[in-house]
C-alpha cells in the first residue's frame, strides 16, 4: 500500500516537473529557438551583408559578373529553376506585375533571375524568360542566367536562400524570395509567393536612400495601444494604452499622499490632545 | 576644519548606529571602486572599436558592451548618488538601515545578473531594450539572456523602489508634504526652515518613483508577450522605456545637485538656504520632468505632434529653474569667497559647471528642428556624456572625496589635487570634443565599426584616444587616493560600529 502511494506520488511529481519544464516554452521562445532549415529566409540575418561577386552565364550568351550589374544600378535578385512546376512562374509573373505598377525598371534598378538547379542551362532559362512575355523595353533590364554550382551555393548562403530536391522528381523545394542589392550589399529581402507592389515600393525607396517609415500596424491581439494611428491620413486618436502613461504619476501620487498622510493625522491628533489638556 | 553652517535641528543617532550607517554608505561608495573602472574599460573598448582596432571582432560584443556600459553607468551613479544623499539626509531624518542593507544586497545581485546577461548571454539590445528586439534578436542572443536582463532590472527596480519609499517615509516622519516641498516658501513664509537637501531629495524621490512604476508596467508588457504571446504596442513600450530611463538619469543628476547644496557650503562657509525661488524651481522640476522625455521620441512619426511640442517646451523649461538656479547659486556662493579648494569642493564645482555645458548641448539637442539632423549622430552621446561624466560623475566623486576625507581625517596633497583635476578636465573635455566634432560631421552613433564611407568616425575616435588616456590616468589617481582614504575610513568606522 505504502509503496503504491509512493509510486503514485512520484508520478505526480514527475508530471508536475515536466509541466514546469514546459512552461518557459512560450510562443516568443519557440520563434527564437527553432532552427528548422526550411524556414523562410530571415532578413535580419543578412541585412547589409556582402554578396559574393559570382560569374553568371546569361541567356543572351554573355559571361559576366554580378558586379557588372550592381555597379551600374541596384539589382533585384531572385532564384528560380527552369522546370519548376510550383512557385517560380507565378512568382516571376507577380514580380513583373508589381514592377509594372511601381515603375523605375532600368532607371532605378535591374532584375537578375538566376537558376539554382545545377542541371539548368541558359537555353532552358530562355524559355522561362519568354514565358514571362516581357515587353521590348523590359527585356533589356531583366537578366536570366546560371552560375557555377559552388558559386551559387555561396551566393545562396549570403542571402539565406536554400533548396532541396524532392525525391523521385525533377522538382525542388525552395522559398520564393527577392534580394535587393546595392553596391554588393543586401539592403532588403522580400520573402513570399507573391510580390506586393506596396512592399516593392518600400524596397525601391530604400535602394534610393529615401527613408521608409516602418511601424508595425497594431492588430486585434494588441490590447493596449497608445494611439489608433491611420497610416494613410496620419490622423490619430488616443487609445486605452495611453492610460499606462498616466499610471506612473497617478500611482506615485497615491503612494506619496498615503505616506505623508500619517504625519498630517499625527499632527491633528497632537493638536486635538493639546486642546483637551488645556480645557481640562 | 570645515565651516560650521547653521542648520535645522539634527536627528540624534546612537554612536554605533551612526557608525553602521557610515559604514553602509562607504560600502555603497565602494561599489564605485570596482564598477567604475570595469564599465569605463567597456567605454574604452567601444571607442577602440570605432577607431578600427578590432576589424575582425564580432559586432555583437560591441553592442553587448554598449548595453552593459549604458545600464551599468546610470545604475552605478544612481546608487552612489542616492546612498550619498541618504547619508547627508541622516542629519535631518532617520532612514532605515535594514532597508538600505536589503537594497544593497539586491543591487549587487541585480548587477551580477546584468553582467551574466550581457557578457555571457551576449544580450545586446542596448540599455533601452526597445520592444520587440529583446525577444526577436534574429539569433544574435538567446531568449534566456533577455530573461536574465529583464529579471535583473526587476530586482534593481524592487531594491530602489524600497529604498525610495523608505526615504519618503523618513521624510514624512518629520515634515508634511507641503513642508518637504517647501510650498510655504511660495506663500512668503520662511518657517519651518527646510534645508534645500530635503526639498531636492523629496522632488527627486517622488519623480524616481514614477519612473520605477513605468518600469514595472513595461516589464509586465514584456512578460505578457513572452509568456502569453500577447504583443505589445511598440510606441507605448518606447514611451515607457524613456519615461523610466530619462527620469532615472535626470534624478541621478539632481542627486548630485543635492550633494552640491549640502556639501559646498561647508567649504565656502556660506549657508545655502531655501528661498521662494529655490522652492519654485524644484517644484517646477517635479512637474516638468514627467514630460521632458518626449524629446526621445521625435523620430516616431506616429507620436502625436502635440506630444512632440510638449517635449520641446518641457525640455527647454526644465533647464531653466533647477539648472539656472543651482548654477547661478553656485557661482554666487564662490564669488569673492575664500573657499577651501580641496579635491571634494573642486570636483563639486567642476561638476556643476560641466552640468551647465552639457545642459546647453542638451537644450540644443531637444530642439525638434536640430534633433532631426543630430538624433542619430554622435552628438547625442556627446551631450549626455557631458552632463553625466563632466557633471554628475564629478559631483558624486567630489562627495565621495568629501566623505572619505571626513571619516578618515586625511586629505590629498595640493599637487595631487591639481594633477587629478587637470587630467580629468583636459582628458574629459577632449574626449567629449571628439564626440561633438563627430556629431557635427554627421558620424552616426550605435555603429560598432565605421565603413570606409564614414572614415571621419574612425579618425575622430583615434583622436579621442589620447584624451581618454589622460582621463583614465586622472580617474586612476583619484581611485587610488580616495581608495586609500576609503580603506582607512571603512576600518575606523567598522571598529566603531562593532
Amino acid at each position: 500500500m505504502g509503496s503504491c502511494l509512493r509510486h503514485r506520488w512520484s508520478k505526480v511529481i514527475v508530471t508536475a516537473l515536466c509541466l514546469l519544464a514546459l512552461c518557459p516554452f512560450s510562443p516568443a521562445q519557440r520563434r527564437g529557438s527553432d532552427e528548422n532549415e526550411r524556414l523562410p529566409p530571415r532578413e535580419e540575418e543578412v541585412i547589409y551583408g556582402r554578396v559574393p561577386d559570382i560569374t553568371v552565364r546569361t541567356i543572351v550568351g554573355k559571361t559576366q559578373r554580378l558586379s557588372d550589374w550592381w555597379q551600374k544600378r541596384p539589382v533585384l535578385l531572385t532564384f528560380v529553376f527552369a522546370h519548376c512546376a510550383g512557385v517560380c512562374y507565378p512568382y516571376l509573373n507577380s514580380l513583373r506585375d508589381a514592377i509594372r505598377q511601381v515603375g523605375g525598371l532600368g532607371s532605378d534598378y535591374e532584375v537578375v533571375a538566376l537558376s539554382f538547379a545545377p542541371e539548368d542551362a541558359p537555353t532552358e532559362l530562355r524559355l522561362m524568360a519568354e514565358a514571362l512575355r516581357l515587353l521590348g523595353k523590359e527585356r533589356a533590364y531583366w537578366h536570366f542566367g546560371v552560375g557555377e554550382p559552388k558559386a551559387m551555393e555561396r551566393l545562396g548562403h549570403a542571402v539565406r536562400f536554400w533548396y532541396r530536391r524532392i525525391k523521385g522528381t525533377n522538382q525542388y523545394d525552395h522559398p520564393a524570395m527577392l534580394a535587393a542589392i546595392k553596391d554588393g550589399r543586401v539592403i532588403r529581402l522580400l520573402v513570399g509567393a507573391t510580390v506586393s507592389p506596396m512592399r516593392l515600393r518600400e524596397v525601391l525607396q530604400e535602394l534610393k536612400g529615401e527613408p521608409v517609415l516602418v511601424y508595425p500596424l497594431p492588430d486585434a491581439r494588441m490590447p493596449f495601444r497608445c494611439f489608433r494611428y491611420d497610416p494613410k491620413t496620419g490622423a490619430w486618436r488616443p487609445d486605452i494604452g495611453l492610460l499606462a502613461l498616466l499610471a506612473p504619476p497617478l500611482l506615485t501620487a497615491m503612494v506619496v499622499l498615503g505616506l505623508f498622510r500619517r504625519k498630517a493625522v499625527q499632527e491633528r491628533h497632537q493638536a486635538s490632545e493639546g486642546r483637551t489638556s488645556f480645557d481640562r | 576644519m570645515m565651516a560650521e553652517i547653521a542648520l535645522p535641528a539634527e536627528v540624534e543617532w546612537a554612536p554605533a548606529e551612526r557608525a553602521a550607517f557610515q559604514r553602509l554608505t562607504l560600502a555603497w561608495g565602494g561599489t564605485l571602486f570596482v564598477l567604475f573602472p570595469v564599465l569605463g574599460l567597456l567605454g574604452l573598448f567601444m571607442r577602440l572599436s570605432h577607431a578600427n582596432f578590432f576589424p575582425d571582432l564580432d559586432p555583437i560584443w560591441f553592442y553587448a558592451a554598449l548595453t552593459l556600459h549604458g545600464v551599468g553607468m546610470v545604475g552605478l551613479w544612481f546608487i552612489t548618488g542616492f546612498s550619498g544623499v541618504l547619508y547627508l539626509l541622516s542629519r535631518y531624518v532617520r532612514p532605515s538601515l535594514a532597508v538600505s542593507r536589503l537594497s544593497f544586497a539586491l543591487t549587487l545581485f541585480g548587477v551580477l545578473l546584468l553582467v551574466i546577461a550581457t557578457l555571457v548571454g551576449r544580450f545586446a539590445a542596448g540599455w533601452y531594450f526597445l520592444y520587440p528586439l529583446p525577444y526577436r534578436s534574429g539569433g544574435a542572443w538567446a531568449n534566456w539572456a533577455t530573461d536574465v536582463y529583464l529579471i535583473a532590472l526587476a530586482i534593481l527596480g524592487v531594491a530602489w523602489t524600497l529604498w525610495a519609499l523608505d526615504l519618503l517615509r523618513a521624510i514624512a516622519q518629520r515634515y508634511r508634504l507641503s513642508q518637504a516641498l517647501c510650498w510655504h516658501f511660495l506663500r512668503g513664509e520662511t518657517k519651518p526652515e527646510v534645508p534645500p537637501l530635503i526639498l531636492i531629495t523629496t522632488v527627486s524621490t517622488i519623480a524616481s518613483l514614477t519612473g520605477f512604476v513605468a518600469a514595472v508596467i513595461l516589464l509586465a508588457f514584456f512578460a505578457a508577450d513572452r509568456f502569453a504571446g500577447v504583443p505589445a504596442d511598440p510606441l507605448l513600450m518606447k514611451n515607457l522605456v524613456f519615461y523610466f530611463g530619462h527620469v532615472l538619469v535626470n534624478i541621478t543628476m539632481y542627486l548630485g545637485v543635492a550633494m552640491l547644496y549640502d556639501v559646498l557650503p561647508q567649504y565656502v562657509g556660506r549657508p545655502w538656504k531655501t528661498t521662494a525661488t529655490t522652492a519654485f524651481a524644484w517644484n517646477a522640476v517635479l512637474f516638468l520632468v514627467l514630460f521632458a522625455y518626449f524629446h526621445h521620441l521625435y523620430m516616431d512619426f506616429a507620436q502625436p505632434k502635440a506630444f512632440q511640442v510638449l517635449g520641446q517646451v518641457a525640455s527647454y523649461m526644465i533647464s531653466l529653474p533647477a539648472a539656472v538656479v543651482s548654477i547661478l547659486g553656485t557661482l554666487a556662493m564662490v564669488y569673492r569667497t575664500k573657499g577651501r579648494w580641496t579635491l571634494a569642493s573642486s570636483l563639486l564645482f567642476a561638476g556643476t559647471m560641466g552640468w551647465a555645458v552639457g545642459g546647453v548641448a542638451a537644450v540644443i539637442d531637444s530642439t525638434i528642428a536640430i534633433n532631426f539632423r543630430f538624433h542619430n549622430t554622435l552628438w547625442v552621446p556627446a551631450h549626455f556624456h557631458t552632463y553625466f561624466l563632466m557633471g554628475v560623475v564629478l559631483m558624486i566623486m567630489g562627495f565621495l572625496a568629501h566623505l572619505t576625507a571626513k571619516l578618515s581625517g586625511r586629505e590629498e596633497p595640493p599637487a595631487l589635487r591639481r594633477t587629478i583635476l587637470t587630467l580629468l578636465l583636459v582628458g574629459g573635455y577632449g574626449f567629449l570634443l571628439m564626440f561633438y566634432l563627430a556629431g557635427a560631421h554627421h558620424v552616426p552613433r550605435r555603429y560598432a565599426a565605421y565603413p570606409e564611407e564614414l572614415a571621419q568616425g574612425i579618425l575622430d575616435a583615434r583622436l579621442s584616444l589620447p584624451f581618454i588616456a589622460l582621463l583614465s590616468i586622472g580617474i586612476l589617481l583619484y581611485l587610488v587616493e580616495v581608495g586609500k582614504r576609503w580603506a582607512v575610513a571603512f576600518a575606523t568606522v567598522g571598529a566603531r560600529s562593532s
Side-chain angles (χ1 to χ4, degrees):
Chain A
M1 177 73 180
S3 146
C4 181
L5 266 178
R6 270 200 302 278
H7 185 62
R8 196 179 296 163
W9 272 111
S10 65
K11 268 188 177 175
V12 170
I13 290 166
V14 168
T15 312
L17 285 175
C18 287
L19 283 172
L20 273 176
L22 282 173
C23 277
F25 290 91
S26 68
Q29 191 184 36
R30 276 200 297 275
R31 277 194 295 275
S33 62
D34 196 338
E35 290 300 323
N36 188 336
E37 286 184 335
R38 296 192 180 194
L39 280 175
R42 291 163 64 148
E43 190 178 57
E44 65 268 27
E45 291 177 1
V46 297
I47 198 115
Y48 304 129
R50 280 207 178 276
V51 173
D53 184 15
I54 68 164
T55 305
V56 173
R57 285 183 294 136
T58 69
I59 59 172
V60 293
K62 280 186 183 172
T63 298
Q64 63 180 97
R65 303 185 79 83
L66 279 179
S67 58
D68 294 337
W69 285 306
W70 77 50
Q71 277 169 1
K72 281 188 286 184
R73 51 184 72 88
V75 164
L76 300 182
L77 174 68
T78 187
F79 298 91
V80 289
F81 70 102
H83 300 289
C84 184
V87 75
C88 301
Y89 285 87
Y91 182 76
L92 287 177
N93 283 333
S94 163
L95 177 60
R96 176 202 62 202
D97 294 344
I99 286 175
R100 283 178 182 169
Q101 207 172 323
V102 174
L105 178 68
S107 56
D108 298 335
Y109 59 93
E110 297 183 31
V111 180
V112 176
L114 298 182
S115 170
F116 59 85
E119 64 272 19
D120 271 356
T123 45
E124 288 164 302
L125 270 185
R126 183 181 298 163
L127 296 173
M128 189 176 209
E130 284 170 5
L132 201 56
R133 292 182 188 162
L134 294 169
L135 301 173
K137 274 196 296 185
E138 290 173 324
R139 280 191 203 124
Y141 303 110
W142 277 76
H143 311 286
F144 287 82
V146 296
E148 288 300 314
K150 281 196 173 171
M152 285 301 292
E153 202 175 301
R154 282 190 291 125
L155 180 63
H157 179 72
V159 294
R160 298 295 187 271
F161 175 80
W162 55 266
Y163 63 92
R164 301 273 184 283
R165 184 181 270 279
I166 300 169
K167 275 183 189 169
T169 70
N170 64 347
Q171 294 296 301
Y172 291 91
D173 182 14
H174 68 97
M177 60 171 279
L178 184 77
I181 295 167
K182 187 179 182 182
D183 300 329
R185 288 183 188 271
V186 180
I187 303 298
R188 285 288 301 272
L189 281 193
L190 277 189
V191 181
T194 55
V195 180
S196 136
M198 195 178 87
R199 292 278 171 230
L200 184 64
R201 190 175 288 118
E202 285 177 6
V203 170
L204 299 180
Q205 270 181 281
E206 284 211 32
L207 286 175
K208 281 195 269 184
E210 293 172 1
V212 178
L213 302 178
V214 180
Y215 189 74
L217 291 175
D219 60 27
R221 294 179 308 139
M222 199 180 277
F224 293 97
R225 295 179 217 171
C226 236
F227 313 105
R228 284 184 186 272
Y229 177 74
D230 183 345
K232 284 181 187 158
T233 63
W236 63 272
R237 59 193 170 87
D239 206 339
I240 192 164
L242 206 55
L243 290 176
L245 292 182
L246 297 176
L250 292 179
L251 282 173
T252 305
M254 283 164 61
V255 170
V256 170
L257 289 173
L259 278 170
F260 279 88
R261 192 171 169 272
R262 279 176 53 193
K263 173 73 179 167
V265 169
Q266 197 183 346
E267 278 186 358
R268 272 204 299 276
H269 185 65
Q270 280 170 352
S272 74
E273 272 190 347
R275 269 200 306 278
T276 311
S277 58
F278 181 76
D279 291 344
R280 258 190 306 217
Chain B
M1 189 163 140
M2 311 255 175
E4 288 302 320
I5 306 295
L7 293 165
E10 296 194 2
V11 168
E12 291 287 326
W13 291 77
E17 211 178 11
R18 157 68 62 193
F21 205 91
Q22 289 168 339
R23 195 173 159 87
L24 189 57
T25 309
L26 286 169
W28 278 106
T31 57
L32 186 140
F33 295 105
V34 181
L35 292 179
F36 191 26
V38 173
L39 297 170
L41 281 175
L42 290 178
L44 172 64
F45 160 71
M46 286 189 281
R47 278 315 255 164
L48 286 172
S49 178
H50 283 162
N52 205 19
F53 274 60
F54 317 111
D56 300 323
L57 191 75
D58 185 346
I60 193 74
W61 288 113
F62 176 90
Y63 294 106
L66 180 78
T67 307
L68 186 56
H69 176 80
V71 73
M73 282 293 190
V74 170
L76 172 66
W77 296 104
F78 174 78
I79 58 166
T80 44
F82 203 95
S83 64
V85 162
L86 210 64
Y87 169 78
L88 295 171
L89 273 175
S90 66
R91 289 211 308 272
Y92 313 114
V93 297
R94 191 183 284 275
S96 161
L97 256 174
V99 170
S100 196
R101 279 185 183 135
L102 177 65
S103 295
F104 186 60
L106 287 174
T107 300
L108 291 184
F109 185 50
V111 169
L112 179 69
L113 291 184
L114 284 179
V115 171
I116 292 171
T118 49
L119 298 187
V120 181
R122 303 205 296 181
F123 178 78
W127 75 260
Y128 29 82
F129 54 102
L130 287 181
Y131 179 86
L133 182 60
Y135 283 118
R136 287 159 186 81
S137 68
W141 60 85
N143 282 344
W144 72 259
T146 306
D147 291 339
V148 173
Y149 184 82
L150 296 181
I151 289 169
L153 289 192
I155 289 171
L156 293 174
V158 168
W160 300 347
T161 305
L162 287 174
W163 219 14
L165 285 173
D166 180 64
L167 180 57
L168 283 179
R169 176 204 58 76
I171 293 173
Q173 277 185 342
R174 180 160 180 183
Y175 299 96
R176 276 187 277 148
L177 182 61
S178 59
Q179 291 171 342
L181 291 173
C182 295
W183 290 347
H184 55 292
F185 283 87
L186 299 176
R187 294 193 299 267
E189 297 164 18
T190 50
K191 295 288 173 190
E193 200 174 335
V194 180
L197 184 66
I198 294 285
L199 167 66
I200 301 170
T201 313
T202 308
V203 165
S204 303
T205 313
I206 293 174
S208 66
L209 275 178
T210 68
F212 296 146
V213 175
V216 168
I217 299 170
L218 179 72
L219 292 177
F221 279 128
F222 266 111
D225 179 38
R226 173 82 166 100
F227 297 110
V230 180
D233 176 1
L235 183 62
L236 178 59
M237 297 292 267
K238 189 170 178 185
N239 269 282
L240 288 168
V241 162
F242 283 102
Y243 192 128
F244 150 72
H246 185 86
V247 164
L248 192 66
V249 170
N250 264 230
I251 294 317
T252 306
M253 283 192 290
Y254 298 150
L255 294 173
V257 177
M259 292 169 167
L260 170 85
Y261 274 71
D262 205 74
V263 177
L264 192 63
Q266 298 178 42
Y267 289 88
V268 295
R270 281 183 181 176
W272 201 329
K273 291 193 171 181
T274 306
T275 61
T277 315
T278 324
F280 172 78
W282 286 98
N283 277 279
V285 164
L286 181 55
F287 176 71
L288 293 168
V289 77
L290 305 179
F291 303 103
Y293 86 88
F294 285 137
H295 65 226
H296 290 276
L297 287 101
Y298 287 159
M299 294 292 129
D300 296 80
F301 66 93
Q303 184 94 332
K305 272 190 187 143
F307 282 29
Q308 312 288 35
V309 173
L310 186 59
Q312 179 166 325
V313 172
S315 305
Y316 272 46
M317 289 177 68
I318 201 168
S319 58
L320 288 174
V324 172
V325 168
S326 305
I327 291 159
L328 290 181
T330 306
L331 289 172
M333 180 157 285
V334 300
Y335 182 64
R336 290 193 175 178
T337 309
K338 276 194 174 177
R340 220 166 50 78
W341 292 105
T342 64
L343 187 60
S345 56
S346 307
L347 285 173
L348 279 164
F349 182 78
T352 314
M353 296 305 119
W355 184 37
V357 178
V360 172
V363 168
I364 291 172
D365 194 46
S366 69
T367 309
I368 294 173
I370 296 173
N371 191 278
F372 264 67
R373 292 281 177 274
F374 278 170
H375 185 84
N376 283 321
T377 72
L378 284 176
W379 177 275
V380 175
H383 95 252
F384 67 66
H385 276 91
T386 311
Y387 62 65
F388 222 76
L389 177 63
M390 287 290 106
V392 69
V393 168
L394 293 189
M395 290 186 205
I396 295 174
M397 283 168 76
F399 165 75
L400 205 60
H402 162 77
L403 178 72
T404 50
K406 194 173 166 187
L407 296 181
S408 68
R410 293 168 60 159
E411 281 203 347
E412 69 287 341
L416 181 62
R417 167 172 53 86
R418 281 193 291 274
T419 310
I420 291 175
L421 280 170
T422 309
L423 287 169
L424 289 180
L425 295 179
V426 174
Y429 281 108
F431 156 68
L432 293 171
L433 181 66
M434 290 305 125
F435 261 154
Y436 279 115
L437 287 176
H441 289 135
H442 283 207
V443 176
R445 63 182 170 135
R446 295 174 181 155
Y447 269 45
Y450 294 115
E452 290 161 16
E453 297 88 332
L454 294 167
Q456 183 67 44
I458 300 173
L459 177 66
D460 291 335
R462 287 189 177 166
L463 289 174
S464 73
L465 294 178
F467 294 109
I468 296 176
L470 294 180
L471 178 67
S472 305
I473 297 168
I475 292 172
L476 197 67
L477 288 176
Y478 168 89
L479 290 176
V480 170
E481 170 59 25
V482 177
K484 278 192 232 162
R485 292 187 217 166
W486 180 89
V488 173
F490 200 75
T492 315
V493 169
R496 258 187 267 150
S497 66
S498 59

